[in-house]
C-alpha cells in the first residue's frame, strides 16, 4: 500500500492522523516501510496494524513513544531500525575524517555556533552539520554565510519551546515524555514547512 492508502484505512478510527504523523513515526523507528527503487514508501497490513496499535496507545493511554516502542517489541518484534541504531560519539579527528572537512572549517563552524562538542565528543547532528557545510563549500558557501540558517533554526526551536512549556509546567506523570514527543512531532512538521517554503522561494528566484 502507499502512504495515502494507509491514511485512508486509519482516518475513520483516527481522524487526526496525517501523512506527516506517519512519517514522524517512521522517523522515530516505530515502523519501517519498504522503499521502491524510486524512493516511494510501500506499506503492508502489518505496518497498518502497528500504526493502529501506536495510535490507540497514544489516544487511550497517553503513553510516550519510548514506552510504546518497548511494548511493541513484545507484540510485533522490535523494528530493525531500533536494533541497528547506535549513538554517534566521535572525537575531533574522527569527525574531520567522517565529514571530509579540514581543521580550519571545523573551527569556523564552532566559532559561528553551528555545532559544538559535548564532553569533547561530537554527536550525529554535529556530523550532519559538518557534512552539509562541507558539501556547501563546493558552491562557495561557508560557515560565515550560514548565520541566517542558524538564526532561523533558533527561532523555530523557540516555537517548539513555547508549545511544550505548558506541558512541562503541569508536572503531571508522563509530562516529560509527552513534551518530548510533542517537540519531536512539531519539529518534523516545521521541517516539512521550511522545505516547502524554501522550494517556493527558489522557484520564485528562477522565475518558475
Amino acid at each position: 500500500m502507499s502512504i495515502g492508502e494507509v491514511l485512508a484505512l486509519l482516518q475513520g478510527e483516527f481522524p487526526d492522523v496525517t501523512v506527516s504523523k506517519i512519517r514522524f513515526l517512521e522517523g522515530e523507528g516505530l515502523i519501517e516501510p519498504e522503499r521502491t527503487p524510486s524512493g516511494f514508501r510501500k506499506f503492508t497490513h502489518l505496518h497498518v496494524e502497528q500504526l493502529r496499535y501506536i495510535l490507540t496507545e497514544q489516544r487511550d493511554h497517553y503513553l510516550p513513544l519510548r514506552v510504546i516502542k518497548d511494548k511493541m517489541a513484545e507484540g510485533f518484534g522490535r523494528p530493525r531500525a531500533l536494533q541497528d541504531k547506535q549513538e554517534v560519539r566521535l572525537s575531533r579527528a574522527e569527525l574531520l575524517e567522517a565529514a571530509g572537512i579540514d581543521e580550519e572549517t571545523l573551527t569556523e563552524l564552532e566559532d559561528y555556533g553551528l555545532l559544538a562538542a559535548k564532553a569533547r565528543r561530537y554527536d550525529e547532528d554535529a556530523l550532519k552539520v559538518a557534512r552539509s557545510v562541507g558539501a556547501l563549500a563546493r558552491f562557495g558557501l561557508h560557515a560565515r554565510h550560514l548565520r541566517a540558517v542558524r538564526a532561523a533554526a533558533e527561532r523555530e526551536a523557540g516555537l517548539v519551546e513555547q508549545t511544550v512549556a505548558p506541558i512541562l509546567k503541569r508536572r503531571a506523570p508522563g509530562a516529560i515524555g509527552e513534551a518530548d514527543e510533542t517537540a519531536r512531532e512539531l519539529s518534523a512538521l516545521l521541517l516539512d514547512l521550511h522545505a516547502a517554503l524554501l522550494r517556493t522561494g527558489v522557484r520564485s528566484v528562477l522565475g518558475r
Side-chain angles (χ1 to χ4, degrees):
M1 289 171 281
S2 68
I3 195 167
E5 290 170 322
V6 171
L7 188 64
L9 287 173
L10 294 171
Q11 278 189 322
E13 187 176 355
F14 306 98
D16 295 334
V17 70
T18 63
V19 167
S20 293
K21 173 74 171 182
I22 295 173
R23 289 174 178 165
F24 168 72
L25 293 172
E26 178 190 355
E28 292 297 301
L30 279 90
I31 58 170
E32 190 177 1
E34 299 295 328
R35 295 275 186 159
T36 67
S38 55
F40 289 103
R41 296 171 176 82
K42 299 300 290 183
F43 295 83
T44 67
H45 288 289
L46 174 61
H47 294 127
V48 175
E49 289 306 309
Q50 289 175 326
L51 285 166
R52 184 173 283 117
Y53 177 82
I54 295 164
L55 296 169
T56 298
E57 291 295 301
Q58 288 185 308
R59 182 193 62 192
D60 297 348
H61 303 291
Y62 307 101
L63 293 180
L65 287 182
R66 64 176 182 274
V67 175
I68 296 175
K69 283 180 183 179
D70 292 336
K71 295 186 69 174
M72 285 182 68
E74 301 173 6
F76 296 100
R78 185 171 293 275
R80 188 166 66 254
L82 294 180
Q83 292 178 328
D84 297 342
K85 188 172 182 179
Q86 296 181 350
E87 185 179 6
V88 175
R89 299 275 293 168
L90 301 176
S91 67
R92 192 174 185 86
E94 289 169 339
L95 178 67
L96 292 172
E97 181 179 357
I101 61 174
D102 57 27
E103 180 74 35
E104 182 181 356
T105 299
L106 178 53
T107 299
E108 188 179 38
L109 287 172
E110 292 176 319
D111 288 345
Y112 282 98
L114 290 168
L115 62 76
K118 300 174 183 176
R120 304 183 70 178
R121 293 284 169 172
Y122 297 88
D123 61 15
E124 183 177 3
D125 287 331
L127 176 58
K128 288 179 179 178
V129 169
R131 281 176 171 168
S132 296
V133 173
L136 287 168
R138 301 200 312 268
F139 300 92
L141 295 174
H142 302 281
R144 62 184 179 277
H145 301 120
L146 302 174
R147 285 175 291 183
V149 177
R150 189 195 70 182
E154 289 175 348
R155 287 194 295 269
E156 291 170 1
L159 291 175
V160 175
E161 182 181 5
Q162 291 175 26
T163 303
V164 302
I167 300 173
L168 294 173
K169 286 180 180 178
R170 293 205 307 260
R171 301 184 182 278
I176 294 178
E178 182 184 350
D180 179 68
E181 183 179 336
T182 299
R184 289 174 182 272
E185 185 171 1
L186 183 55
S187 297
L189 293 171
L190 286 170
L191 283 172
D192 285 345
L193 175 60
H194 184 94
L197 291 174
L198 179 59
R199 286 192 296 268
T200 300
V202 171
R203 286 198 299 268
S204 177
V205 169
L206 298 175
R208 297 166 62 181

